[in-house]
Amino acid sequence: MQPGNPGLKHLGPQILIDQLKMLLIQLLVSFKRAVVYKTTTWYFPQSLKAHSIYHGGTNFGRTAGGPFITTSYDYEAPIDEYGLPRLPKWGHLKELHKAIKLCEHVMLNSKPVNISLGPSIEADVYTDSSGACAAFLANVDDKNDKTIEFRNSSYHLPAWSVSILPDCKNVVFNTAKIGTPTSIVEMVSEKLQPSNSKALNWEVFVEKAGIWDEADFVKNVFVDHINTTKDTTDYLWYTTSIFVEENEGFLKKGSSPFLIVESKGHALHAFVNRELQGTAYGNGTHSPFKFKRPVSLKAGNNEIALLSMTVGLQNAGSFYEWVGAGPTNVEIKGFNNGTVNLSNSTWTYKIGLQGEHLGIHNAVGMDKVNWVATSKPPKNQPLTWYKAEIDPPPGNEPVGLDMVHMGKGLAWLNGEEIGRYWPRKSSIHDKCVRECDYRGTFMPNKCLTGCGEPTQRWYHVPRSWFKPSGNILVIFEEKGGDPSKITFSRRKVTGLCALVAEDHPSVGPESWQKDGSGSNKDIPTVELKCPENTLISAVKFASFGTPTGNCGSYTRGDCHDPNSKSVIEKLCLNKNNCAVELSNFSRNLCPGVTKKLAVEAICG
């Protein structure tokens, strides 16, 4: 589309929607306030269109792009990668949509009038021909709460929040006041259970480092990795050889020369005489890298084998189709005559791995190699295929494969490709936070978490891929790990938290829809609901008064009703769900103080 094209005028709304989508995608941690606030300020209908990140997912196989995008694209979405609602996020946004739906008729039949109510305070008011009215009150101050007057009524607006009034009178929703419970989700570890035997037996096949069959081609220059493999595989072998004279100084001194490889990306394992010398890789913002390691050379002929790897293809940016990968310069430093450059040597190329070529990860090709059976699979061994026959983990919860003790590679179950695994650790130098303050303008690095931890540990395995017994798990490990520590993990909701204050909206969307007028005031209520077939087995914490902290770390405040826990236990223990109104607690407690009820319960 060229400048001046009339079609350009239609791009405005879509650009705004796309911007909101990108905002949602970039929020990799809880966006309790920021997203809800941002979504509300976009109003209807744009806010209801930007749902591309409502459900997390999995880049099964080699479908992850980027490059360097993980197999998981959960992104802390309201519905997680495994299909479980992420509370309170999902519940809070559900309430938001209900609240906006209550305003639907008047919003679609009128235009908003923006009214300034003071510094950092504004209202968008919709009024149709029948006199129906809806209002959105916004406090854009990111630090200070505000109390405002609107149509002869007083309203409290927390910092950086929006209140929705479907009748310009009653608040049914405020973005900063979260009343839905928080789910406590754990990955419950389960050892791999063998099929038809008492002990788990592994079978092992080791790839040859370098050219494993006839060479695909030979050149005296480097070829581009992506252009050569056409994305049929992550792997391309570059191999050459170098002759070392017996009088080289590093042989006499027992020192080691340095192998230096410059690459356009994405990763590389270097082998000398079939021994792994080291690994190097780029990252999501800069794919090129330099490998520099001391290597062991012997007198005579030495084989240099470089396993170049891609980790997903570039999928954004200008001219991204021209972005390549693979080595661009190779040299060895430390010879008597200085540095030897191997870039123009004779390079022999082989596309992919032998196991890939034979398809040994599925039933058709599994018998094409000689697997070696063992009860103790080798550890820290590169270029190794592992195979085991297992039963599915118990229960019906979603399943993840825990690969934290492995290096880098690929995994399959019953021929279905789980995807690339690479539990490499994120930088410890990033500025992570324990608790995020989402008030204020969004910044991509505002609320980083997980510094120094694996970028991904669990890899989703759909329950539908499992058979009742005799499931074949195949792992290809590139650089070495400990397969004996591979486990399944069940993603399980083990508990719930809730925090509701007396000043939460007095009329909820549900009550409004039933009543139709908002005349029935709701009593602020804590609602708890465990997963199906589980009960509230214990109350870990309960306090009505001024509790502080977050789910999992609540503490009592100066104001506390000593009967808090007994009230919750009476109403909730041994039930799948319960609702506790704040009216169950002492009304005379701490006069003049806005009180809250905080609860943490265990599901079992």
Side-chain angles (χ1 to χ4, degrees):
M1 185 176 293
Q2 298 297 319
N5 191 312
L8 278 175
K9 66 183 180 181
H10 300 299
L11 287 178
Q14 186 59 48
I15 290 173
L16 298 181
I17 293 167
D18 290 343
Q19 287 175 339
L20 179 57
K21 286 182 179 180
M22 290 306 298
L23 169 64
L24 296 176
I25 290 170
Q26 290 171 324
L27 289 171
L28 303 183
V29 292
S30 174
F31 49 20
K32 297 175 186 174
R33 286 189 172 187
V35 170
V36 176
Y37 174 84
K38 197 70 176 178
T39 303
T40 308
T41 57
W42 285 82
Y43 302 142
F44 182 90
Q46 284 90 342
S47 64
L48 299 183
K49 291 181 179 178
H51 285 181
S52 63
I53 198 60
Y54 243 56
H55 199 314
T58 308
N59 295 302
F60 292 117
R62 297 172 48 255
T63 56
F68 296 98
I69 290 180
T70 59
T71 302
S72 166
Y73 62 92
D74 181 84
Y75 292 115
E76 292 285 327
I79 300 176
D80 71 18
E81 175 186 5
Y82 297 85
L84 299 178
R86 179 175 274 111
L87 299 172
K89 192 177 303 179
W90 181 82
H92 197 45
L93 288 174
K94 180 180 177 182
E95 294 298 304
L96 165 64
H97 291 168
K98 288 179 181 178
I100 293 177
K101 183 69 174 176
L102 296 176
C103 309
E104 177 182 19
H105 185 270
V106 66
M107 292 179 71
L108 292 179
N109 290 279
S110 63
K111 292 184 178 180
V113 176
N114 184 267
I115 304 171
S116 175
L117 301 176
S120 303
I121 302 293
E122 62 182 38
D124 279 273
V125 182
Y126 296 77
T127 307
D128 67 14
S129 57
S130 70
C133 177
F136 292 76
L137 309 181
N139 176 9
V140 297
D141 189 318
D142 61 3
K143 292 182 174 61
N144 303 304
D145 293 2
K146 304 279 186 177
T147 299
I148 66 167
E149 292 293 322
F150 176 72
R151 296 200 171 191
N152 300 318
S153 294
S154 180
Y155 299 91
H156 174 257
L157 286 175
W160 198 255
S161 74
V162 176
S163 285
I164 300 177
L165 292 66
D167 60 353
C168 287
K169 184 184 299 183
N170 293 289
V171 176
V172 298
F173 183 89
N174 178 273
T175 58
K177 297 178 180 180
I178 302 168
T180 54
T182 297
S183 56
I184 301 173
V185 181
E186 296 181 12
M187 298 299 285
V188 181
S189 182
E190 300 283 350
K191 290 184 178 180
L192 300 183
Q193 296 298 318
S195 294
N196 305 319
S197 63
K198 293 183 179 180
L200 184 64
N201 290 312
W202 291 89
E203 293 181 73
V204 177
F205 170 70
V206 182
E207 291 259 348
K208 176 186 175 183
I211 307 303
W212 44 266
D213 199 356
E214 292 185 8
D216 287 321
F217 56 91
V218 178
K219 286 183 176 290
N220 291 332
V221 294
F222 290 123
V223 299
D224 179 77
H225 180 133
I226 297 173
N227 220 22
T228 302
T229 62
K230 311 298 184 186
D231 195 37
T232 57
T233 174
D234 284 353
Y235 306 103
L236 178 61
W237 282 106
Y238 296 68
T239 66
T240 190
S241 62
I242 182 172
F243 190 87
V244 176
E245 300 289 346
E246 293 183 356
N247 64 348
E248 286 295 339
F250 60 79
L251 293 177
K252 295 179 179 179
K253 298 176 182 177
S255 58
S256 298
F258 277 81
L259 174 64
I260 302 171
V261 182
E262 295 177 18
S263 175
K264 292 181 289 185
H266 303 154
L268 177 139
H269 301 312
F271 295 82
V272 174
N273 298 322
R274 301 189 182 180
E275 294 292 330
L276 179 63
Q277 305 296 306
T279 298
Y281 44 81
N283 57 55
T285 57
H286 190 69
S287 293
F289 63 89
K290 178 183 283 190
F291 172 97
K292 185 177 181 181
R293 297 284 193 284
V295 295
S296 300
L297 297 179
K298 62 183 181 179
N301 198 52
N302 294 264
E303 182 185 73
I304 310 294
L306 307 178
L307 181 58
S308 177
M309 295 164 290
T310 51
V311 191
L313 298 185
Q314 190 85 15
N315 56 15
S318 58
F319 306 107
Y320 69 84
E321 69 273 22
W322 296 103
V323 177
T328 56
N329 186 68
V330 176
E331 56 189 29
I332 300 179
K333 185 177 181 180
F335 284 86
N336 292 346
N337 293 329
T339 300
V340 176
N341 194 295
L342 301 176
S343 301
N344 294 321
S345 298
T346 300
W347 288 90
T348 305
Y349 293 88
K350 190 64 181 178
I351 298 172
L353 306 168
Q354 183 180 10
E356 274 186 313
H357 179 75
L358 297 175
I360 65 174
H361 55 273
N362 58 45
V364 175
M366 206 162 284
D367 296 330
K368 293 182 180 179
V369 297
N370 293 321
W371 296 89
V372 178
T374 177
S375 59
K376 295 183 179 180
K379 303 175 184 179
N380 302 317
Q381 181 170 287
L383 303 180
T384 303
W385 293 80
Y386 300 93
K387 176 165 68 82
E389 187 174 342
I390 56 173
D391 282 343
N396 59 3
E397 299 91 351
V399 176
L401 186 66
D402 188 348
M403 302 295 282
V404 72
H405 296 288
M406 297 298 287
K408 180 181 180 297
L410 302 169
W412 295 261
L413 182 76
N414 295 327
E416 300 285 353
E417 191 168 2
I418 298 168
R420 302 183 184 98
Y421 68 85
W422 192 5
R424 80 177 197 184
K425 293 185 177 181
S426 59
S427 173
I428 61 174
H429 302 294
D430 291 334
K431 295 181 179 179
C432 280
V433 296
R434 291 187 176 181
E435 181 179 352
C436 184
D437 182 356
Y438 288 96
R439 298 175 301 181
T441 305
F442 168 76
M443 299 292 289
N445 61 348
K446 185 174 184 178
C447 291
L448 298 178
T449 61
C451 295
E453 299 177 5
T455 52
Q456 185 174 350
R457 173 174 179 172
W458 292 281
Y459 296 80
H460 184 200
V461 186
R463 280 277 183 182
S464 60
W465 289 7
F466 286 94
K467 300 183 294 185
S469 187
N471 299 279
I472 305 300
L473 178 66
V474 176
I475 307 292
F476 172 66
E477 172 57 46
E478 297 171 10
K479 61 179 186 175
D482 186 353
S484 67
K485 293 182 179 179
I486 295 174
T487 63
F488 283 124
S489 292
R490 293 181 292 141
R491 190 166 180 83
K492 187 175 182 179
V493 177
T494 59
L496 299 166
C497 292
L499 178 66
V500 171
E502 291 178 322
D503 63 352
H504 270 64
S506 59
V507 182
E510 292 282 0
S511 299
W512 188 292
Q513 288 174 333
K514 292 177 182 177
D515 178 73
S517 67
S519 60
N520 289 334
K521 301 292 184 180
D522 281 349
I523 298 173
T525 302
V526 161
E527 296 183 359
L528 302 174
K529 181 177 175 59
C530 287
E532 189 176 353
N533 300 322
T534 64
L535 303 175
I536 298 171
S537 60
V539 177
K540 191 173 180 180
F541 178 91
S543 177
F544 178 72
T546 55
T548 59
N550 296 308
C551 182
S553 61
Y554 288 134
T555 57
R556 294 179 183 178
D558 294 333
C559 176
H560 169 71
D561 185 338
N563 297 318
S564 299
K565 190 170 184 179
S566 61
V567 171
I568 300 296
E569 289 176 337
K570 181 179 179 180
L571 296 172
C572 298
L573 273 184
N574 300 316
K575 296 180 181 179
N576 173 260
N577 62 85
C578 64
V580 183
E581 295 180 350
L582 269 59
S583 60
N584 285 286
F585 300 91
S586 174
R587 296 184 179 182
N588 299 320
L589 181 73
C590 307
V593 175
T594 299
K595 292 171 282 294
K596 298 179 286 187
L597 173 60
V599 179
E600 180 178 349
I602 297 174
C603 297

